[in-house]
Amino acid sequence: MEKIVSLCRRRGFIFPSSEIYGGLSSCWDYGPLGVELKQNIKQAWWRAVVQERDDIVGLDASILMHPQTWTASGHLQGFVDPLVECKNCHLRWRSEDLTGNNCPSCGGELTEPRLFNLMFKTFMGPIEEAASVVYLRPETAQGIFVNFQNVVNTTRMRLPFGIAQIGKAFRNEITTGNFIFRTREFEQMEIEFFVKPGTDEEWFNYWVEERINWYVKLGIKKENLRLHKHTKEELAHYARVCYDIDYLFPMGWAELEGIANRGDFDLVQHASFSGKSLDYFDEETKEHIIPYIIEPSAGVDRSALAFLCDAYDEQLAEGEIRVILHLHPALAPIKVAVLPLSRREKLVAVAKQIYADLRQCWMVNYDDAQSIGRRYRRQDEIGTPFCVTVDFQSLEDEQVTIRDRETMNQIRLPIAELKSTLQAKLEGEPLFVLPPGGAIWKE
Ligand code: ATP
């Protein structure tokens, strides 16, 4: 973990929040590369669950919601008892339910009992009084449940269908730590998938498989993922069944994403507290039903940490340690780096033109500082899949080389074919299919 934290700090992925004031516990700022990585994770998720599907639509609900939401959801009542938290597995226990001094689940050490509510409280409007209390949402899910009827009425979505949302959530966690793994402000990517009761088990299994595949397709090694089924004691009050997708983080196995079968709990609760009907008219059976909900709930920050950990590698090259991030091209913050071999005017003009051209399509770096070897290493360290090198020969033959991060192999090809070749390779074409007339050699 130390190496990941240090790389993130050094290369501008992630900084401690408000660092000049000494930082703020468990809060982090995403720097120029981190913000790209995070954006790419969110984009890949959105693409897989909204863009490429016809049974899920998106939503962006507000962070502040009517306070009744949290009474209906159980968040307000859930945390008024004295609770202790296990320092190891972070399960929370009501102190009065405990018989021993250790965590009943893993035997870990427990924190002191505390009366607390996990939600951040604030005031709406200029007067700080009880009537104006609002909460920062502790999950994005509730914004989806309360909009269920709006989506049914304004779209042609019919069961089974889902609503997806990405957004910030806030929890006043007692124990934070492990870098961006558990923080008090974080971002979630949640799907609430509404299904007919009776089909919920099938859909639950479908989503577990689908979500594991998403991580694997984006490069997470299968052996670093496992499923953990919640025991009766672990199960949240709203869930019928829940599986965690765990990832083998440097500190051990820990939850990356939770997938729950929430039954009809949420729609029943919100219908009851709001007095509005949240049922669904089934055209086939001509019956009013309350859909069941399958919820795959992932964290953007935890995903970023998992992708970084999985991609991190050190190799020995020419007696030096070569740090490399094997990030999937879709996630890499910078897709291509343009590297002129020298700062001579003629060469710079060609390189700058290529740079301007490629930037129309992707995030591209231009780097002309230090030796070409060092520049390659810098790009390897931040996971840039391809470097384009412009040399003196380029001025004569209008060709450049593409160097591949994974193999360090290079191909030479006409500048005119550069964009389409990069496009194909970034979209997954085998990295080293030779273009006509191209040559391949090792660095
Ligand atoms: P944990 O037990 O690890 O705190 P949780 O079971 O409370 O997590 P959920 O309520 O299931 O988490 O939230 C869904 C997802 O949101 C988690 O799998 C995780 O990726 C992310 N998440 C939850 N809490 C945090 C947090 N404090 N910091 C970063 N990500 C979080």
Side-chain angles (χ1 to χ4, degrees):
M1 186 71 96
E2 263 169 39
K3 286 184 174 174
I4 303 281
V5 176
S6 148
L7 172 69
C8 286
R9 176 89 193 74
R10 195 170 68 246
R11 298 308 312 273
F13 278 91
I14 299 166
F15 309 120
S17 160
S18 0
E19 198 178 8
I20 58 167
Y21 290 105
L24 181 65
S25 160
S26 95
C27 293
W28 301 91
D29 295 345
Y30 287 78
L33 294 179
V35 70
E36 294 298 331
L37 171 65
K38 214 170 152 194
Q39 199 67 27
N40 292 341
I41 292 170
K42 291 191 273 184
Q43 235 168 47
W45 185 85
W46 195 262
R47 183 177 172 144
V49 309
V50 179
Q51 187 182 328
E52 291 178 357
R53 300 183 66 105
D54 54 16
D55 57 357
I56 301 189
V57 289
L59 183 81
D60 185 11
S62 71
I63 287 174
L64 302 176
M65 299 181 68
H66 192 289
Q68 273 289 81
T69 310
W70 311 113
T71 313
S73 68
H75 282 92
L76 268 177
Q77 308 88 305
F79 301 104
V80 291
D81 288 334
L83 299 182
V84 293
E85 184 170 301
C86 172
K87 290 182 180 171
N88 179 41
C89 71
H90 303 290
L91 284 179
R92 290 183 201 99
W93 309 93
R94 300 164 90 197
S95 15
E96 61 192 35
D97 294 344
L98 292 175
T99 43
N101 293 325
N102 291 77
C103 171
S105 174
C106 75
E109 197 188 332
L110 298 168
T111 58
E112 286 300 308
R114 277 182 48 186
L115 241 189
F116 81 111
N117 191 298
L118 204 67
M119 287 194 292
F120 280 96
K121 201 191 264 187
T122 187
F123 300 93
M124 199 139 174
I127 302 165
E128 293 193 5
E129 56 175 18
S132 61
V133 166
V134 288
Y135 300 91
L136 302 187
R137 66 181 178 199
E139 59 181 27
T140 63
Q142 301 301 325
I144 299 183
F145 303 140
V146 301
N147 276 295
F148 169 71
Q149 209 57 273
N150 282 339
V151 172
V152 171
N153 293 343
T154 56
T155 66
R156 292 170 44 199
M157 304 310 281
R158 293 296 170 257
L159 294 184
F161 78 91
I163 304 176
Q165 174 165 223
I166 300 177
K168 288 264 182 169
F170 304 81
R171 295 182 191 175
N172 206 352
E173 304 273 10
I174 329 176
T175 47
T176 54
N178 286 318
F179 196 28
I180 52 171
F181 177 80
R182 186 178 284 99
T183 52
R184 297 196 170 99
E185 173 181 344
F186 55 97
E187 217 164 349
Q188 289 187 311
M189 308 184 280
E190 295 197 298
I191 305 166
E192 305 302 331
F193 201 78
F194 303 89
V195 304
K196 286 189 191 176
T199 64
D200 47 314
E201 231 179 276
E202 193 186 314
W203 277 108
F204 179 81
N205 294 335
Y206 167 86
W207 276 111
V208 169
E209 200 179 315
E210 195 69 10
R211 293 301 306 143
I212 289 182
N213 287 343
W214 184 78
Y215 291 105
V216 173
K217 267 191 217 155
L218 285 172
I220 298 267
K221 294 171 205 79
K222 247 190 171 146
E223 62 270 24
N224 289 340
L225 292 171
R226 73 167 191 200
L227 277 175
H228 163 73
K229 186 179 181 187
H230 280 209
T231 59
K232 242 185 173 168
E233 292 73 40
E234 290 172 291
L235 217 50
H237 62 282
Y238 53 76
R240 302 163 79 91
V241 193
C242 185
Y243 276 30
D244 290 340
I245 299 177
D246 286 349
Y247 176 74
L248 186 55
F249 288 98
M251 70 280 184
W253 289 101
E255 176 181 339
L256 179 58
E257 169 161 353
I259 302 169
N261 179 347
R262 302 180 68 117
D264 60 8
F265 178 84
D266 307 282
L267 292 180
V268 166
Q269 285 294 102
H270 285 301
S272 149
F273 278 79
S274 67
K276 303 280 186 319
S277 161
L278 294 181
D279 60 7
Y280 171 91
F281 184 66
D282 186 354
E283 303 281 353
E284 277 169 24
T285 60
K286 306 290 178 209
E287 280 175 341
H288 288 270
I289 56 170
I290 306 278
Y292 275 20
I293 298 174
I294 309 301
E295 175 192 71
S297 172
V300 180
D301 314 79
R302 263 186 215 182
S303 298
L305 184 59
F307 285 121
L308 284 167
C309 293
D310 224 77
Y312 186 90
D313 192 14
E314 291 176 358
Q315 294 171 355
L316 202 62
E318 292 156 20
E320 260 187 57
I321 296 217
R322 170 186 179 230
V323 174
I324 169 167
L325 282 185
H326 301 285
L327 284 173
H328 188 284
L331 301 183
I334 305 295
K335 312 294 185 208
V336 185
V338 177
L339 315 175
L341 214 57
S342 104
R343 286 179 174 165
R344 295 258 183 87
E345 212 173 299
K346 275 189 177 165
L347 213 59
V348 167
V350 176
K352 283 264 161 95
Q353 184 54 49
I354 292 173
Y355 176 48
D357 197 30
L358 298 183
R359 279 165 80 185
Q360 304 293 318
C361 306
W362 308 287
M363 286 300 297
V364 182
N365 253 188
Y366 182 89
D367 187 2
D368 60 4
Q370 297 182 311
S371 76
I372 192 73
R374 279 201 180 280
R375 282 183 267 168
Y376 285 150
R377 301 286 172 270
R378 273 207 290 274
Q379 297 300 329
D380 290 342
E381 201 181 38
I382 63 169
T384 306
F386 300 106
C387 291
V388 172
T389 313
V390 184
D391 53 29
F392 289 104
Q393 208 185 324
S394 309
L395 300 176
E396 280 151 35
D397 63 6
E398 297 192 354
Q399 296 204 352
V400 287
T401 57
I402 303 181
R403 180 247 193 203
D404 164 44
R405 175 195 74 197
E406 292 301 298
T407 58
M408 297 194 279
N409 282 340
Q410 304 187 11
I411 52 171
R412 195 165 180 88
L413 80 172
I415 294 172
E417 287 169 25
L418 185 59
K419 209 190 244 178
S420 58
T421 306
L422 284 169
Q423 177 95 45
K425 289 184 191 305
L426 285 165
E427 283 178 5
E429 180 190 276
L431 296 179
F432 277 91
V433 174
L434 284 181
I440 186 165
W441 69 92
K442 268 276 193 196
E443 199 179 296

